[in-house]
Amino acid sequence: MLVNEKKLIAYRNFPMVPRVIFGRGSFNQLEEIITPRRRNSFAPFIFFVDDVFKGNAWLTSRIPLSYGDKIIYVSASEEPKTSQVDELVEEIILTTKEKPSGIIGIGGGTLLDLAKAVSIMLTNDGDTRAYQGWDLVKNPAVYHVGIPTISGTGAEVSRTTVLTGPERKLGINSDYTTFDQVILDPELTKDVPKNQWFYTGMDCFIHCIESLNGTYINAFSQSYGEKAYDLCLEVFDSSQLSETEAQDKLMMASWHGGMSIAYSQVGVAHALSYGLSFLLGVKHGIGNCIVFDHLEEFYPEGVAQFKKMKEKHDIELPTGLCADLSDHDFKIMIDVALSLEPLWENALGKDWRKTITEDKLKHLYQMM
Ligand code: NAD
Ligand code: ZN
């Protein structure tokens, strides 16, 4: 069939990161990259840095500060909230003479998402929560740079910033969300604790499984998803790589995994994990692992591979998370999960409601 009628399909026209630098030590080029973007001496650069790096001169001494530039340390112990973004934006407005020349996020998905959201909210009025959804942002964001220090989420390439608001956990999905510049320096990931390395790395693995096994799959997503999947296996299921090779490859896996879901969608694990996160504050990486461990029914090969890697790296996942929850609690998680319709449609097709019932989800949550 020829696709020659306008009405048939509307393909998504999505933005990619326009500039990226890759390489060990590329972080040293931050100054030369951002300097041309400084509007004037009153318009500073604001660096959001994961507070795990506070006092870590190896990293912080290389952050180029001049004029009124400043570092704001942020804890990644909780996922970003819309209220937190509002507070950070207010702090910047109150303490800088002019709108910043740029926002630079240095850290994992938490810091990258905060940097994206703040850069949007500096040029858009009102509360952050009003922009959770699809294509609600009206004005282009302030210039923003992402520098991941842990690999897996794909937040460095995506057009979303995932935020927990008063009513829902939902991204600001917009063409203005995507970073203007990304610096991929795998050396920055060298001190990630092993468990966290596994959880966030598995986020990437799960992106691949959900994208490659979804009904939205297409050659574009498949080409990125297969590459990311192979890289994950090299990193997590072979013993051939040196530490530095593994860091390099996982950083590229994250990138490709993010590109894969950009043009398809995630699936069952993410839908259920969002419920866990909303009610219990379980973080994205570990939450995905906890959920994915129970999804043989949906992703038999992916889950078998996951269990093999979990064992190889001696990872123990928490259990009994839902043991003491009330029916009301289950209902909250189930509602969050079911509201993510595109994820279910991608995973199971248009008729997903025939098999995915509230009872079924409750049963799955009870196993966690
Ligand atoms: P994270 O940013 O939450 O950090 C996890 C932990 O690792 C933290 O304790 C942090 O301090 C630590 N850490 C990070 N880098 C380190 C380093 N180099 N050395 C030592 N410790 C380090 O982790 P994450 O898994 O990358 O991000 C999760 C967040 O990403 C969630 O909020 C999730 O919603 C979001 N996310 C966003 C997207 C997107 O497309 N925007 C996609 C997936 C996930
Ligand atoms: Zn994810």
Side-chain angles (χ1 to χ4, degrees):
M1 186 184 66
L2 290 175
V3 186
N4 57 0
E5 284 182 56
K6 272 195 176 165
K7 63 179 170 25
L8 279 182
I9 307 167
Y11 293 105
R12 249 177 304 155
N13 182 11
F14 85 97
M16 291 169 63
V17 174
R19 299 197 81 90
V20 56
I21 181 167
F22 172 85
R24 305 183 74 79
S26 59
F27 184 55
N28 294 331
Q29 284 168 251
L30 180 55
E31 183 165 16
E32 74 187 59
I33 289 169
I34 62 175
T35 298
R37 297 295 188 140
R38 188 186 296 280
R39 289 201 315 279
N40 62 56
S41 56
F42 299 111
F45 286 108
I46 309 291
F47 298 86
F48 286 114
V49 181
D50 188 321
D51 72 359
V52 77
F53 294 112
K54 210 171 186 174
N56 179 334
W58 175 76
L59 185 134
T60 56
S61 66
R62 292 187 284 159
I63 297 175
L65 297 174
S66 26
Y67 304 104
D69 297 349
K70 65 176 169 183
I71 297 178
I72 299 179
Y73 288 102
V74 183
S75 164
S77 64
E78 288 182 6
E79 298 198 339
K81 296 188 183 57
T82 53
S83 56
Q84 185 184 13
V85 175
D86 292 333
E87 283 161 23
L88 289 167
V89 169
E90 189 173 320
E91 180 183 338
I92 291 173
I93 291 172
L94 291 177
T95 57
T96 58
K97 290 191 179 132
E98 275 193 30
K99 198 163 276 175
S101 294
I103 302 293
I104 293 108
I106 304 177
T110 301
L111 269 287
L112 297 182
D113 278 357
L114 273 175
K116 288 171 164 183
V118 168
S119 71
I120 289 170
M121 293 312 299
L122 281 166
T123 54
N124 288 275
D125 291 337
D127 292 338
T128 303
R129 63 181 177 182
Y131 295 91
Q132 284 179 286
W134 281 268
D135 302 305
L136 303 170
V137 180
K138 293 176 195 71
N139 306 315
V142 164
Y143 172 74
H144 50 303
V145 180
I147 309 180
T149 64
I150 179 170
S151 300
T153 64
E156 64 279 15
V157 286
S158 72
R159 80 188 276 282
T160 189
T161 156
V162 185
L163 302 172
T164 302
E167 280 140 37
R168 57 211 163 151
K169 180 177 173 183
L170 183 63
I172 301 180
N173 299 265
S174 89
D175 284 356
Y176 301 126
T177 309
T178 315
F179 283 114
D180 297 296
Q181 167 82 54
V182 167
I183 296 181
L184 296 178
D185 181 348
E187 206 176 57
L188 300 182
T189 67
K190 68 182 176 57
D191 296 323
V192 172
K194 184 176 158 208
N195 277 6
Q196 190 63 52
W197 164 79
F198 186 83
Y199 303 147
T200 300
M202 284 303 112
D203 188 22
C204 176
F205 178 77
I206 295 166
H207 291 160
C208 298
I209 299 293
E210 293 183 320
S211 174
L212 291 171
N213 293 286
T215 61
Y216 291 3
I217 194 66
N218 53 73
F220 184 103
S221 284
Q222 192 179 0
S223 62
Y224 284 107
E226 286 175 350
K227 187 69 215 173
Y229 180 83
D230 290 346
L231 287 167
C232 284
L233 291 197
E234 275 192 78
V235 171
F236 291 102
D237 194 25
S238 93
S239 310
Q240 313 292 323
L241 300 183
S242 69
E243 219 170 287
T244 55
E245 282 171 329
Q247 290 160 7
D248 292 4
K249 287 187 186 238
L250 190 54
M251 194 158 262
M252 288 320 299
S254 175
W255 183 273
H256 282 77
M259 287 298 295
S260 181
I261 47 176
Y263 222 67
S264 59
Q265 187 47 278
V266 287
V268 180
H270 276 74
L272 292 173
S273 168
Y274 269 45
L276 277 187
S277 158
F278 188 81
L279 183 77
L280 304 172
V282 179
K283 294 199 67 189
H284 190 77
I286 190 171
N288 282 351
C289 288
I290 292 167
V291 172
F292 196 65
D293 214 19
H294 298 285
L295 297 186
E296 289 95 339
E297 178 187 343
F298 301 98
Y299 306 111
E301 287 165 23
V303 174
Q305 181 62 47
F306 171 80
K307 287 182 188 289
K308 189 174 165 219
M309 296 185 291
K310 190 179 71 160
E311 197 160 308
K312 180 178 162 88
H313 296 288
D314 211 6
I315 303 290
E316 289 238 2
L317 293 173
T319 54
L321 250 71
C322 300
D324 300 322
L325 297 184
S326 66
D327 284 348
H328 179 67
D329 291 335
F330 279 111
K331 178 85 174 109
I332 292 173
M333 292 199 296
I334 290 166
D335 285 349
V336 170
L338 286 178
S339 73
L340 298 162
E341 295 182 11
L343 281 64
W344 294 104
E345 189 181 296
N346 173 47
L348 302 165
K350 290 212 182 308
D351 290 337
W352 63 271
R353 285 176 200 280
K354 287 187 183 153
T355 45
I356 298 303
T357 60
E358 293 196 11
D359 280 350
K360 167 118 195 155
L361 296 194
K362 184 168 181 186
H363 175 69
L364 280 167
Y365 277 129
Q366 278 170 331
M367 293 196 287
M368 297 172 196

